[in-house]
Amino acid sequence: MEIRNVAIIAHVDHGKTTLVDNMIYQTHVLRENQEMGSLILDQNDLERERGITIFSKNISIFYKGVKINIIDTPGHADFGGEVERVLRMADGVLLLVDAFEGPMPQTRFVLQKALQLQLVPIVVINKVDKPNCRPEEVHEAVFELFFQLDATEEQLNFPTYYGSGKQGWFNQSLQPSQDITPLLDGIISHIPAPQVSEGPLQLQITSLDYSSFLGRIAIGKVQRGKICVNQPVCLVAADGSVRQAKVKELYVFEGLGKRNATTVEAGDIAAIVGLEDFAIGDTVADIQHPEPLPPLEVEQPTMHMLFGINNSPFFGRDGKYVTSRHLRERLMKETEKNLALRVEETESPDSFLVYGRGVMHLGVLIETMRREGYELTVGQPQVQVKIIDGQRCEPYEELVVDVPMDCASKVIDLVTRRKGTLLNMHTKGHMQRLEFEIPSRGLIGLRTQLLTATSGEAIMAHRFVAYKPWKGAIPSRINGVLVAKETGTVTAYALDKLQDRGIFFVEPGEEVYGGMIVGENNKPGDLVVNTNEGKKLTNMRASGSDAAAQIIPKRRMSLEECMEYIQQDECIEVTPSHIRMRKVILDAEQRKKQQKIMAPSE
């Protein structure tokens, strides 16, 4: 049977998952009466809520007697680790580009990885039905990008398809076709069949799955040889150690699920049950000739946060898993499948340093953990600093912001204040595209400010470039916070009297504790306030003073907004039901003493 292994890569929101939906419906993977809606592969709750792909997925379709294994990859830069490892299973890539936006920072990142692995590209220019789209200009920009990334002569000779995932057609011209069959024909004719070399079994584990019945399942492409059920194999780890194992069950991908198989030939993607203590990057090899494949290399994390147990007065109210042992086990389990994540133990047994690719990468981990029933506290995100040639260096990112022309000056002002440098500025339709180089530290909290300054019109994207010399202090939050004085329930009477002090994050009836952040001060510096004060009741009544309190609605903040908001002396308490910001030191007197100790050293 002929096989094609193809990965779909693109910048976030350029239409990868919608294209996969079209392929599924076109090849009748679903029954006639089975309606799955849109975004079929984004089944995770977080993916549905955020409208992005977070985890890569494998499916297969059959077209004209050829089995096409499709790998849907994430588009956001923070989940680049997912893309880097799953590209090893592919022989070609569909590079999806928005017909209006053109190549974006993440397009460059994923394309560079694909070209380095010598994968054969097909360019798909999507969303040509959008107003102001510019497919010819975008095609030239994609060619320029290939050239900049040192593509080979064969890779530069890529075929291009135009179409609309929403309308369900793709063609080599801008004339709409009936469906996406021209693109499927293109995959069969342009993407090569897997190259199979002679020799004993070799399969590199590039992905993990988990079943409550079968346990951990190893997924990878059979590079050479074949693998069979009940076959004794060797598991070669990254450190060179060799262990014997046995294949208990074998599966191949078929449609949206998996099908039992007795043998999987070279070139196909297999899911193996029965291996124990394996990690991503390990090689499943022949027991007589255990030859390992080159280890998987994933770019290192650029940001870290301190994860600790929840030690607030409300500890243990919501969560099932609250101890440091639970926290440690969960974080170590995450590192097995999340290659871009690293966990280090600290001097305290109750806290761990967790390294990731960015605020969203770490935010998705925290959000997943709280939904599983964990309680924890997390500190302010910090960038990873390195000493290179005796010089202190920090990560820099390429930042691209698309804004209406009248907002461009506000964006330039905000980014340059955070040590960003404007590299390029050009007009794209009725929008202005601004390209900056900025330290990763400058990005923390920038998205909220940009959206506020541009009335929600700014679209920003960024990708890691390199480590460069430290750029000095970056201005952080100007306003102080309002901190609760004592534990109790917030009253409308107290909030009404305090409303001129700032904006509140709590509302009447909520429980607070001493040291919890309940609002933002209108001025610099922190202010301790009593939000629990009740009205003194008397038998005297007055017509004006007894009117109902008019309370401004509280400001609601998402987990990522909280992560970008807090300062070094603050942290976030995360439980299944609540996200609360608080001071690291809850007692007001202790905080004052700490500030006096810290003052001379600054």
Side-chain angles (χ1 to χ4, degrees):
M1 180 174 58
E2 278 197 75
I3 294 173
R4 300 288 185 273
N5 297 316
V6 60
I8 301 182
I9 58 174
H11 184 82
V12 66
D13 215 22
H14 279 197
K16 292 181 302 302
T17 308
T18 308
L19 173 60
V20 176
D21 287 354
N22 280 312
M23 290 180 170
I24 289 167
Y25 284 121
Q26 182 75 53
T27 53
H28 306 292
V29 169
L30 303 173
R31 298 189 309 274
E32 292 295 325
N33 63 346
Q34 194 176 0
E35 187 60 51
M36 296 280 289
S38 60
L39 307 181
I40 295 166
L41 292 195
D42 286 352
Q43 293 299 343
N44 181 284
D45 287 346
L46 272 176
E47 291 179 320
R48 287 266 174 189
E49 285 166 26
R50 292 167 183 256
I52 59 170
T53 301
I54 295 171
F55 309 104
S56 60
K57 291 131 188 130
N58 296 61
I59 66 158
S60 76
I61 58 175
F62 285 90
Y63 179 71
K64 293 187 176 176
V66 179
K67 181 183 183 183
I68 304 173
N69 285 314
I70 298 169
I71 306 154
D72 185 23
T73 63
H76 200 283
D78 283 20
F79 309 110
E82 284 276 311
V83 182
E84 287 171 71
R85 59 183 175 82
V86 298
L87 284 181
R88 292 287 183 101
M89 292 193 276
D91 299 297
V93 290
L94 291 186
L95 176 69
L96 225 70
V97 186
D98 187 298
F100 174 69
E101 290 186 353
M104 296 288 275
Q106 184 66 4
T107 315
R108 171 184 286 269
F109 172 79
V110 290
L111 180 61
Q112 188 173 15
K113 297 294 173 193
L115 295 178
Q116 284 169 358
L117 290 168
Q118 303 296 313
L119 301 180
V120 176
I122 292 177
V123 172
V124 181
I125 295 176
N126 191 18
K127 306 188 182 182
V128 296
D129 56 320
K130 281 172 84 169
N132 298 323
C133 72
R134 37 195 199 104
E136 288 90 356
E137 285 177 52
V138 168
H139 181 264
E140 285 175 27
V142 171
F143 185 85
E144 185 67 33
L145 179 61
F146 270 78
F147 189 74
Q148 288 171 11
L149 295 175
D150 299 324
T152 62
E153 196 72 39
E154 292 77 21
Q155 288 170 331
L156 278 170
N157 197 21
F158 56 82
T160 306
Y161 289 80
Y162 301 90
S164 162
K166 192 176 176 184
Q167 294 180 355
W169 66 270
F170 285 97
N171 202 356
Q172 283 198 287
S173 71
L174 283 166
Q175 292 302 315
S177 57
Q178 291 294 315
D179 47 34
I180 66 162
T181 48
L183 178 58
L184 294 172
D185 290 330
I187 290 172
I188 292 172
S189 57
H190 295 294
I191 304 287
Q195 287 188 342
V196 178
S197 52
E198 291 296 318
L201 169 68
Q202 272 189 324
L203 176 149
Q204 189 161 44
I205 299 168
T206 47
S207 194
L208 292 180
D209 201 353
Y210 182 79
S211 159
S212 51
F213 299 107
L214 303 170
R216 293 171 77 222
I217 302 169
I219 299 170
K221 184 170 88 170
V222 183
Q223 302 284 359
R224 74 179 191 202
K226 63 181 179 181
I227 189 166
C228 309
V229 174
N230 296 325
Q231 179 182 348
V233 292
C234 272
L235 203 59
V236 187
D239 58 5
S241 62
V242 180
R243 295 191 316 280
Q244 291 193 1
K246 189 177 180 182
V247 178
K248 289 181 182 172
E249 289 183 42
L250 262 183
Y251 294 89
V252 289
F253 290 91
E254 195 167 282
L256 301 180
K258 301 185 193 78
R259 171 178 64 79
N260 265 87
T262 51
T263 305
V264 181
E265 301 282 345
D268 206 351
I269 296 170
I272 309 165
V273 176
L275 307 181
E276 291 180 9
D277 300 325
F278 62 84
I280 287 175
D282 290 359
T283 303
V284 178
D286 186 75
I287 199 155
Q288 305 292 336
H289 308 280
E291 295 175 43
L293 284 157
L296 283 174
E297 287 184 14
V298 174
E299 282 187 15
Q300 291 302 304
T302 55
M303 199 168 277
H304 65 266
M305 289 173 73
L306 192 68
F307 281 48
I309 60 167
N310 182 13
N311 57 2
S312 82
F314 295 167
F315 152 84
R317 285 191 180 187
D318 300 341
K320 288 190 288 184
Y321 310 110
V322 295
T323 65
S324 57
R325 179 179 63 84
H326 286 132
L327 184 60
R328 186 182 186 283
E329 284 174 1
R330 178 65 182 81
L331 290 173
M332 293 307 173
K333 184 182 169 189
E334 187 67 25
T335 57
E336 290 178 1
K337 63 174 190 280
N338 197 335
L339 284 195
L341 197 81
R342 212 170 73 238
V343 177
E344 279 181 16
E345 306 214 12
T346 63
E347 292 172 5
S348 164
D350 293 340
S351 55
F352 305 87
L353 268 178
V354 181
Y355 295 80
R357 283 279 181 89
V359 170
M360 184 179 271
H361 186 206
L362 293 165
V364 164
L365 169 63
I366 297 164
E367 184 63 41
T368 307
M369 287 175 68
R370 74 179 275 247
R371 291 181 185 209
E372 290 171 4
Y374 286 83
E375 279 193 20
L376 63 153
T377 54
V378 292
Q380 185 192 27
Q382 306 278 343
V383 297
Q384 182 78 341
V385 179
K386 290 183 178 178
I387 304 297
I388 301 171
D389 300 329
Q391 203 170 12
R392 191 184 185 201
C393 295
E394 63 176 326
Y396 277 65
E397 310 226 1
E398 175 195 332
L399 171 68
V400 174
V401 187
D402 287 336
V403 284
M405 290 186 186
D406 55 342
C407 298
S409 57
K410 295 178 190 171
V411 173
I412 295 168
D413 179 46
L414 273 172
V415 177
T416 47
R417 272 194 229 163
R418 288 167 167 260
K419 309 285 185 186
T421 308
L422 182 65
L423 303 176
N424 203 346
M425 178 177 179
H426 52 91
T427 306
K428 197 186 70 167
H430 61 282
M431 303 284 274
Q432 197 85 27
R433 173 166 286 186
L434 309 170
E435 295 174 14
F436 301 90
E437 186 176 80
I438 184 171
S440 296
R441 287 180 298 144
L443 289 172
I444 299 172
L446 178 64
R447 185 181 297 273
T448 312
Q449 290 189 358
L450 282 184
L451 289 173
T452 305
T454 61
S455 308
E457 294 271 2
I459 301 166
M460 69 177 264
H462 54 89
R463 73 173 186 97
F464 170 70
V465 177
Y467 274 84
K468 295 188 179 182
W470 184 265
K471 203 111 185 233
I474 289 176
S476 57
R477 190 182 73 208
I478 299 166
N479 293 32
V481 288
L482 303 174
V483 184
K485 184 179 180 183
E486 57 193 29
T487 304
T489 305
V490 177
T491 64
Y493 176 74
L495 284 194
D496 191 35
K497 290 174 71 175
L498 292 167
Q499 278 187 121
D500 60 337
R501 295 291 187 178
I503 300 161
F504 279 89
F505 307 144
V506 292
E507 57 192 1
E510 272 188 52
E511 284 191 280
V512 296
Y513 52 80
M516 179 175 152
I517 296 170
V518 292
E520 181 180 286
N521 194 356
N522 284 335
K523 299 174 183 176
D526 297 342
L527 184 67
V528 177
V529 295
N530 183 1
T531 56
N532 315 333
E533 187 185 353
K535 186 177 181 185
K536 303 292 182 287
L537 298 176
T538 70
N539 58 359
M540 299 294 288
R541 293 288 176 265
S543 59
S545 60
D546 288 334
Q550 299 288 315
I551 307 295
I552 298 167
K554 71 174 183 178
R555 185 201 288 180
R556 297 180 187 276
M557 293 175 76
S558 69
L559 176 62
E560 264 123 35
E561 285 171 334
C562 290
M563 286 163 69
E564 292 180 340
Y565 185 82
I566 59 171
Q567 300 296 294
Q568 209 152 1
D569 64 332
E570 298 161 0
C571 61
I572 310 166
E573 176 193 352
V574 181
T575 75
S577 310
H578 297 95
I579 296 170
R580 303 181 181 101
M581 290 182 286
R582 48 163 280 194
K583 290 289 181 182
V584 173
I585 301 169
L586 294 175
D587 185 77
E589 292 303 316
Q590 292 278 10
R591 283 202 301 275
K592 283 179 188 170
K593 285 178 187 173
Q594 186 71 17
Q595 282 166 356
K596 283 177 186 173
I597 295 166
M598 297 292 286
S601 62
E602 291 172 358

